[in-house]
Amino acid sequence: MNLEQVARRAKVSTATVSRVLNNANVVKTSTRARVEKAIEELKYHPNLHARNLAGGKSRTLGVIASNMENPFFFDIYKTIESDAHARGYEVVVANTDYRSEQLVASIRLMIGRRVAGLAAIVSEMEPALIKELTESRIPVVFYDVGQPRQNITNIRVNYRRGIDKVTDYLHNMGHRRLGFVGHHAMLGPINERMKAVLDAVARNSSLEVKTAADADTLEGGRQATRALLSSGYQPTAIICVNDVMAVGALRELRERGIRVPQDMSVTGFDNVKLSEFCYPALTTLHIPRERIGHIICNCLIPPPGEVAPAEHEIVIDPEFVVRESTGPAPTAARKRHAT
Amino acid sequence: MNLEQVARRAKVSTATVSRVLNNANVVKTSTRARVEKAIEELKYHPNLHARNLAGGKSRTLGVIASNMENPFFFDIYKTIESDAHARGYEVVVANTDYRSEQLVASIRLMIGRRVAGLAAIVSEMEPALIKELTESRIPVVFYDVGQPRQNITNIRVNYRRGIDKVTDYLHNMGHRRLGFVGHHAMLGPINERMKAVLDAVARNSSLEVKTAADADTLEGGRQATRALLSSGYQPTAIICVNDVMAVGALRELRERGIRVPQDMSVTGFDNVKLSEFCYPALTTLHIPRERIGHIICNCLIPPPGEVAPAEHEIVIDPEFVVRESTGPAPTAARKRHAT
DNA sequence: TTGAAAGCGGTACCAG
DNA sequence: CTGGTACCGCTTTCAA
């Protein structure tokens, strides 16, 4: 089913059919009606590949994320999608599962699709890829990774500032032995979060910390917490790399009969909706996912007439949100009681 | 950057470049090397639109879901994606947000992309669309909606059986006043779930029920529960249309000081991972999302050599999973105490 | 083993 | 306002 058949049935040329398809308001009403009738009768659906090929432009944005299962990524994606739709763009997504081979495949796929812009919300990233992207001339926004370049915008979160708020808070509450639950993406921002914790501990000799890592899922958070505690280490507070893993931690603690926050404090990161709905509600750091989505879309779809904005970097400061999962460090007496 | 430029640089014809791109093992090794070098140097990325257009086939699957934010949909999607990748297919997704206008747009988009197969995991669905799809000749799998047809496979869940397990269980536990928390998709399976509850109540004159609905999110579950209880109605058990909304219900109850399960029982549906991690863990009905994903993929990508399977329908029975969110109905005495 | 050329299904420019 | 037609970038015979 193609243009030509429609044209034949409507007794016009393919050019005219193309015109009515694209709302060129130069077609006589009667002709247009005839064409539309033919389209309807033939159940004609234009081939988008042919369109993109002939038209040259794609009006499609690509979004690549490490783990769409984590609401953090999904929230950003959702904002991008609705902004894009509002401007008449489609968006295609790809998951990397934190695997850089998948990242490579996804990026090639996006380039192959000739997307009009690409957002990479990923922790893993090889320099070679960045180069490849730079040379592809597609407008790109990286979240958390890479360097600003010609056609590359960078959004980063000031993890150090965020983590410092957490460690200061915990320290003031009397916590000295900390645990850190991370996930298996050992590059980029995750490491930054972990390093920030490590540094805070290094700055303060009264503090100590042990870390554990597992998959970026509820189950992963639980397993990492289990590993952390099974080692015999007895922290009074666990800092989790994100909210999802923190909810996993909460479960492990519950099953061990460790009360939160009386016996153990737990913190998350991101402030996804779930962090308010779990029990106890998580103390966490808010990252404005909608704002990030809007920024990305603005970079990728420059308002008509304007040129793509010059290379630049946008830094975001996480906001500390105290809820129910944290409290004063248990005293020896209370701790004994709990056991 | 196109085939021709690569061809020129490698001093071969475009046909040859195409051959090395497609791993046709007819190219002399030395030639192949020359071409690959050129591709590398030029950072050439084949235009997928041109490829699809010329090749005719697409090796991509379309997946349309009502709400990817709900892990239920996402789990199915994820399974489809990994199965598809294993067989060398791509998959593109679309969200409808339960809006049938979005569904229409998404389906047209998929047809326009000439996907090799389409999975529609949606609650909303207009008959006209089904017809349109049937006529498009692409293999389709509907979850929960529509009728089996020529190129259409149907997967459905026996909601009635599932819900009956829940209502029987609750009835045996002494519950008489039920609440039902649903979401705003008033067509298809949701209605089936609700109708099953209504029917169970109708069959048993000692039972009564009131319903409330809101968005299919954590917050929606909370709001619906709030609405249900604010009306003055005092159920002893709340049946939720799915786990996500049940977690929302849990929060509202917590904030009202209503203990689960002592003062109120709560049930979910789907048995997503979250149902084990929330507190208290949810009594729910398990729906095998991975199995569903596999089935879908098998229908859409028939093993090479075989013809697409004939029209058929697959029915799934949910399995009842009892956890901590349900218990005996509170006695009058205990109830008074709680207040 | 390689090249030439005919499409694939549209778009857009140029005439009429 | 409408038709003719030269591409868009790649795949795929058909010959050489």
Side-chain angles (χ1 to χ4, degrees):
Chain A
M1 194 60 43
N2 59 1
L3 261 199
E4 200 176 327
Q5 305 187 39
V6 176
R8 203 144 46 206
R9 198 174 213 299
K11 300 191 187 311
V12 295
S13 70
T14 61
T16 298
V17 179
S18 176
R19 288 189 188 103
V20 341
L21 247 35
N22 295 290
N23 286 317
N25 35 358
V26 275
V27 190
K28 201 201 295 175
T29 315
S30 63
T31 317
R32 168 185 296 274
R34 213 150 21 98
V35 173
E36 281 169 342
K37 183 153 158 286
I39 289 178
E40 179 58 32
E41 291 170 346
L42 266 38
K43 268 79 178 83
Y44 166 71
H45 295 267
N47 183 320
L48 297 184
H49 299 300
R51 251 199 216 212
N52 281 332
L53 183 56
K57 38 202 159 198
S58 75
R59 286 192 94 71
T60 296
L61 255 36
V63 175
I64 303 180
S66 291
N67 179 16
M68 277 291 184
E69 198 169 346
N70 188 318
F72 171 76
F73 294 100
F74 194 85
D75 288 349
I76 294 180
Y77 160 67
K78 213 175 164 183
T79 304
I80 296 177
E81 186 182 46
S82 81
D83 281 16
H85 279 177
R87 306 207 204 169
Y89 278 66
E90 288 310 321
V91 6
V92 309
V93 286
N95 251 279
T96 66
D97 275 315
Y98 293 105
R99 292 178 300 132
S100 62
E101 39 162 324
Q102 248 309 128
L103 212 217
V104 177
S106 299
I107 289 186
R108 291 210 201 297
L109 194 62
M110 295 299 183
I111 296 182
R113 281 176 176 149
R114 300 293 189 266
V115 293
L118 179 60
I121 330 282
V122 295
S123 314
E124 68 283 11
M125 176 58 73
E126 304 170 33
L129 271 182
I130 309 215
K131 188 144 160 291
E132 195 166 334
L133 271 175
T134 314
E135 283 158 348
S136 77
R137 304 222 141 286
I138 331 184
V140 176
V141 177
F142 282 128
Y143 175 79
D144 258 353
V145 96
Q147 301 295 326
R149 299 276 203 104
Q150 178 54 53
N151 54 176
I152 297 189
T153 298
N154 239 262
I155 301 179
R156 33 188 14 124
V157 172
N158 194 335
Y159 291 111
R160 189 154 304 268
R161 277 276 276 286
I163 289 289
D164 282 354
K165 290 176 189 172
V166 173
T167 52
D168 287 355
Y169 166 85
L170 290 174
H171 186 265
N172 287 338
M173 297 291 253
H175 295 274
R176 294 299 177 266
R177 286 189 308 284
L178 272 27
F180 180 82
V181 161
H183 59 67
H184 280 147
M186 274 320 171
L187 303 164
I190 295 333
N191 227 3
E192 265 189 57
R193 297 186 202 190
M194 191 170 89
K195 265 187 57 194
V197 174
L198 264 27
D199 287 355
V201 169
R203 281 199 307 275
N204 192 323
S205 59
S206 66
L207 249 34
E208 62 177 311
V209 66
K210 251 193 98 171
T211 71
D214 207 287
D216 177 25
T217 60
L218 292 167
E219 188 64 37
R222 181 193 186 185
Q223 297 297 349
T225 304
R226 176 177 301 179
L228 192 66
L229 299 182
S230 297
S231 70
Y233 184 61
Q234 297 205 345
T236 62
I238 297 181
I239 298 173
C240 300
V241 74
N242 65 40
D243 294 333
V244 170
M245 294 195 79
V247 172
L250 251 23
R251 180 180 178 193
E252 179 63 19
L253 295 173
R254 188 158 57 236
E255 294 190 3
R256 287 176 175 248
I258 298 174
R259 295 167 308 169
V260 176
Q262 295 89 337
D263 305 328
M264 179 85 77
S265 285
V266 173
T267 67
F269 209 117
D270 290 348
N271 193 31
V272 298
K273 208 67 186 164
L274 179 59
S275 67
E276 300 175 47
F277 282 77
C278 61
Y279 180 76
L282 289 172
T283 289
T284 189
L285 285 157
H286 177 72
I287 298 190
R289 303 174 297 283
E290 294 200 1
R291 182 150 79 88
I292 292 174
H294 291 313
I295 292 175
I296 290 178
C297 225
N298 286 334
C299 293
L300 264 26
I301 312 182
E306 285 181 45
V307 189
E311 61 182 78
H312 59 303
E313 183 172 39
I314 294 160
V315 178
I316 288 175
D317 247 330
E319 186 184 326
F320 192 41
V321 180
V322 178
R323 287 202 273 253
E324 310 158 3
S325 67
T326 51
T331 63
R334 247 159 82 202
K335 184 130 203 202
R336 201 155 40 240
H337 175 66
T339 316
Chain B
M1 193 61 40
N2 60 1
L3 261 200
E4 199 177 327
Q5 305 187 39
V6 176
R8 204 145 44 205
R9 197 175 215 297
K11 298 191 186 311
V12 296
S13 71
T14 62
T16 299
V17 179
S18 175
R19 289 190 187 102
V20 341
L21 247 34
N22 295 290
N23 285 318
N25 35 359
V26 277
V27 190
K28 201 200 299 176
T29 317
S30 64
T31 318
R32 170 186 296 274
R34 218 156 10 104
V35 172
E36 281 167 345
K37 182 152 158 289
I39 289 178
E40 178 60 32
E41 292 171 346
L42 265 40
K43 270 85 179 71
Y44 168 71
H45 296 268
N47 182 319
L48 296 184
H49 299 299
R51 245 189 206 204
N52 281 333
L53 183 57
K57 41 208 154 190
S58 75
R59 282 191 98 69
T60 109
L61 256 35
V63 175
I64 303 180
S66 290
N67 178 16
M68 278 291 185
E69 198 170 344
N70 188 318
F72 171 77
F73 294 99
F74 194 85
D75 288 348
I76 295 180
Y77 159 68
K78 213 175 165 184
T79 304
I80 296 177
E81 186 182 46
S82 81
D83 281 17
H85 279 177
R87 308 206 202 169
Y89 278 65
E90 287 311 319
V91 5
V92 308
V93 286
N95 251 279
T96 67
D97 274 316
Y98 294 106
R99 292 178 299 131
S100 60
E101 38 162 326
Q102 249 309 127
L103 212 216
V104 177
S106 299
I107 289 186
R108 292 209 201 298
L109 193 61
M110 296 298 184
I111 297 182
R113 282 175 175 148
R114 299 295 189 265
V115 293
L118 180 60
I121 330 282
V122 295
S123 314
E124 67 283 12
M125 177 57 74
E126 304 169 33
L129 271 182
I130 309 216
K131 189 144 159 291
E132 195 166 334
L133 270 175
T134 314
E135 285 159 347
S136 78
R137 302 223 142 286
I138 66 178
V140 177
V141 177
F142 283 129
Y143 175 80
D144 257 357
V145 97
Q147 302 294 326
R149 297 277 202 104
Q150 178 55 52
N151 54 174
I152 298 189
T153 299
N154 239 263
I155 301 179
R156 34 190 11 128
V157 171
N158 195 335
Y159 291 111
R160 189 154 305 269
R161 278 274 274 286
I163 289 289
D164 282 355
K165 290 176 190 170
V166 174
T167 52
D168 287 355
Y169 165 86
L170 290 175
H171 186 265
N172 287 338
M173 296 291 254
H175 295 274
R176 294 299 177 267
R177 284 189 311 282
L178 274 27
F180 180 83
V181 161
H183 59 67
H184 281 146
M186 276 320 174
L187 304 162
I190 295 330
N191 225 3
E192 265 190 58
R193 298 186 201 188
M194 189 169 91
K195 264 188 58 194
V197 174
L198 264 26
D199 288 355
V201 169
R203 282 199 308 275
N204 192 321
S205 60
S206 66
L207 248 34
E208 62 177 310
V209 66
K210 249 193 99 171
T211 71
D214 208 287
D216 177 24
T217 60
L218 293 167
E219 188 63 37
R222 181 193 187 186
Q223 296 297 348
T225 305
R226 176 178 300 181
L228 192 67
L229 300 182
S230 296
S231 69
Y233 183 61
Q234 298 205 344
T236 63
I238 297 181
I239 298 173
C240 299
V241 74
N242 63 40
D243 294 334
V244 170
M245 294 196 77
V247 172
L250 251 25
R251 178 178 180 197
E252 179 63 19
L253 295 172
R254 188 159 57 238
E255 293 192 3
R256 286 176 176 247
I258 299 173
R259 297 167 306 168
V260 176
Q262 295 89 335
D263 306 328
M264 178 86 76
S265 286
V266 173
T267 67
F269 209 116
D270 292 345
N271 192 31
V272 297
K273 208 69 185 164
L274 179 59
S275 68
E276 301 175 46
F277 282 77
C278 61
Y279 180 77
L282 289 173
T283 290
T284 188
L285 285 157
H286 177 71
I287 298 190
R289 303 172 299 284
E290 295 200 1
R291 183 148 79 86
I292 292 174
H294 291 314
I295 293 174
I296 291 177
C297 224
N298 286 335
C299 293
L300 263 26
I301 312 181
E306 285 181 46
V307 190
E311 59 181 80
H312 59 303
E313 183 171 39
I314 294 161
V315 178
I316 287 175
D317 248 329
E319 186 186 325
F320 193 41
V321 180
V322 178
R323 286 201 275 254
E324 311 158 0
S325 67
T326 52
T331 63
R334 245 159 83 203
K335 185 130 201 199
R336 201 158 35 242
H337 174 66
T339 312

